[in-house]
Amino acid sequence: MGHTISLNTTRTQCIGAYLAQPAGKPKGGIVVIQEIFGVNAHVRSVTDRFAEAGYTAIAPCFFDHLETGVELGYDEAGFTRGRALVAELGLDRALEDVASAAEAIASAGRIGTVGYCWGGTVALLAALRLGLPSVSYYGARNLPFLGEKPKAPVMFHFGELDKSIPPDMVQKHREMLPQMELFTYPADHAFNRDVGDHYDEASAKLAYQRTLAFFDKHLAHGA
C-alpha cells in the first residue's frame, strides 16, 4: 500500500521512510515509531493500517543513520542487534527524525505519533517536547522523562504481564502524569505485534480502538 521515500533530517544525512496515504482526504498525519527491529514488514503493516483508517502515516527508518535497510527478526540475534542500534542512535537523534517526519507530512493536517516498545518512549518524548499528541505502547524507557511538563496529550498502553514494566512503573506514570489516559491489558510486552509469541488479539484490538479514538479527537477534530 505504501512506498519508501527519502526523508531530509536536521543533520546532513537523508534517511528512508515508509509512507502510506489514505484513499481520500487525510484526517491528519501519524508518525509511526518502530520497535528496536527497524522498519520491517510488521511496522509497514501497522503504518498501512493507520492509512486505511484515514491518516497519512509515515515510519522513519531511524537506523539508516547507522546502517541502511535494517530489518531484524525477533530472535535473540535480532534483539541483541536492535538493542545495540538504539543505544548507538540515542533518543535525541530519534526525536529529531520524528520532527522531520512530522514536517514531511504537514500537509495532512494536525500530526501525532504512535510508538511501540523503544518507540513508545520516543512517542512520549514527542508529546513532551515536540507538542505532538502521541500514543505510547509499553515504553520501558519512560521513567526518566515523566517529570517533564507535557506540551501535548499522550495515551499509554501497558501489558499487565510485562516483566520489563512492572506495576510500580505503571503506577509512576499515573502519579507523574495523572492527566493522561493510561490503560492496562491482560497481556505481555509487545501484545500488539501480530507476528510474535506475545501477540494478544483481544488486547491489541481494544488498544487500537482507543488509539484511533485518541487520534480522531486530537488530530481529526483539532482538539
Side-chain angles (χ1 to χ4, degrees):
M1 180 176 179
H3 62 282
T4 300
I5 65 168
S6 187
L7 180 66
N8 289 319
T9 71
T10 54
R11 308 197 181 206
T12 55
Q13 183 182 10
C14 285
I15 62 172
Y18 182 78
L19 177 68
Q21 298 278 10
K25 181 183 177 183
K27 296 193 284 186
I30 297 173
V31 180
V32 178
I33 308 169
Q34 61 175 62
E35 304 167 297
I36 64 171
F37 307 101
V39 179
N40 57 16
H42 170 65
V43 174
R44 291 192 292 270
S45 72
V46 169
T47 308
D48 286 341
R49 195 176 182 198
F50 283 112
E52 290 163 7
Y55 292 90
T56 295
I58 185 170
C61 301
F62 301 97
F63 292 164
D64 278 5
H65 287 292
L66 311 173
E67 181 182 324
T68 304
V70 175
E71 296 189 33
L72 302 174
Y74 304 111
D75 54 6
E76 193 54 45
F79 276 94
T80 300
R81 181 73 180 128
R83 290 191 190 103
L85 285 167
V86 296
E88 185 178 351
L89 180 71
L91 291 169
D92 289 341
R93 184 153 44 166
L95 200 60
E96 291 173 8
D97 291 345
V98 170
S100 297
E103 187 176 340
I105 60 170
S107 61
R110 290 178 62 85
I111 310 298
T113 85
V114 60
Y116 306 86
C117 185
W118 172 79
T121 296
V122 180
L124 168 62
L125 290 171
L128 295 175
R129 300 178 183 178
L130 301 180
L132 302 177
S134 297
V135 178
S136 173
Y137 278 77
Y138 32 80
R141 298 166 172 83
N142 292 354
L143 283 190
F145 311 109
L146 296 180
E148 296 187 21
K149 185 176 175 63
K151 295 180 178 179
V154 59
M155 173 183 282
F156 296 103
H157 299 300
F158 294 108
E160 293 159 7
L161 308 179
D162 188 343
K163 293 182 177 62
S164 67
I165 310 173
D168 62 319
M169 283 179 64
V170 175
Q171 184 59 28
K172 283 284 188 186
H173 289 71
R174 294 191 180 101
E175 293 170 1
M176 302 289 285
L177 294 171
Q179 73 274 41
M180 303 306 179
E181 293 179 283
L182 185 153
F183 300 99
T184 64
Y185 303 84
D188 208 330
H189 190 79
F191 66 78
N192 183 73
R193 191 201 306 140
D194 58 6
V195 290
D197 295 339
H198 291 171
Y199 178 57
D200 185 290
E201 184 178 7
S203 298
K205 185 175 181 181
L206 180 55
Y208 181 67
Q209 290 171 347
R210 288 167 168 164
T211 296
L212 283 185
F214 175 92
F215 286 135
D216 285 348
K217 176 182 178 182
H218 294 290
L219 303 184
H221 303 302

